[in-house]
Amino acid sequence: MAAHEQYHELAQQLGAIGVIKRGLARVLPPDCPPTSVIVLELLKRYGEMRMSKLAELLVVDMSVTSRHVAYAAERGWLERRPDHLDKRSRLLSLTPGGAALLDEVSTRYTEALAHCLSDWSDADVAHVIGLLARLRESFGECRPHLSCREQLAARAAP
C-alpha cells in the first residue's frame, strides 16, 4: 500500500485536474457547456432513460438535471418524450444532432490533447490511460447501495 504522503500528493494532483478540464472546455463550441457533453455522453453510453436515472448517473439533484436536459433539448441535442409505462415520467434520448455534436467534441478534445501532449511518447499516453481507467474502476467498486461519495461522507461523520 502507498504511503500516506503519496495519497496526499495524489489528492493534490487530482485537484489540479480542474486546470486540464477548463482547458478542454475552452475548445468546446460556444453554446456547449461541459455539462451538456456529459449528459449527451451518458445518453450515448446507456441509451434511452428516464430523467431520474440520468440524475442518478450525474449524481446531482433532479432540479439540476432538469435544467441541463432543458438546455440540451432546446438546442435539439436530446429528445424528451412521454414514458408509456409511467405517464408522469419522460424518456430522454440522444438525437442525431446530439450525436453529431459529440463527434465534433470528440474531434476537438482529441486535437487539443494531441497538441498539448505532442512531446509525450505513445507509451506514456497509454500508461496514463491505463492508470486513469484503473482509478475509475477503483472508485466504481463501491457497495452497490452506496456511492463512493456517500461512503466517504459516512467515514468522515463522527
Side-chain angles (χ1 to χ4, degrees), residues 11-104:
Q12 297 295 314
Q13 292 298 328
L14 289 173
I17 293 232
V19 171
I20 296 166
K21 290 173 67 176
R22 286 187 296 279
L24 287 173
R26 285 194 266 293
V27 303
L28 290 173
D31 66 337
C32 181
T35 51
S36 291
V37 174
I38 294 167
V39 165
L40 299 177
E41 282 288 349
L42 289 170
L43 288 171
K44 180 180 177 181
R45 183 179 310 142
Y46 296 106
E48 184 176 72
M49 69 181 76
R50 290 181 178 162
M51 184 120 40
S52 58
K53 178 64 176 177
L54 181 60
E56 180 184 320
L57 291 170
L58 290 169
V59 194
V60 296
D61 186 77
M62 280 289 286
S63 63
V64 174
T65 303
S66 181
R67 284 193 300 272
H68 294 315
V69 165
Y71 185 88
E74 288 168 7
R75 281 146 188 81
W77 300 334
L78 64 80
E79 177 183 58
R80 296 178 283 194
R81 63 178 187 77
D83 182 347
H84 298 295
L85 299 176
D86 181 353
K87 302 295 185 207
R88 299 166 296 163
S89 295
R90 310 222 5 138
L91 292 172
L92 309 173
S93 58
L94 188 65
T95 64
L101 175 68
L102 286 178
D103 288 344
E104 179 184 352

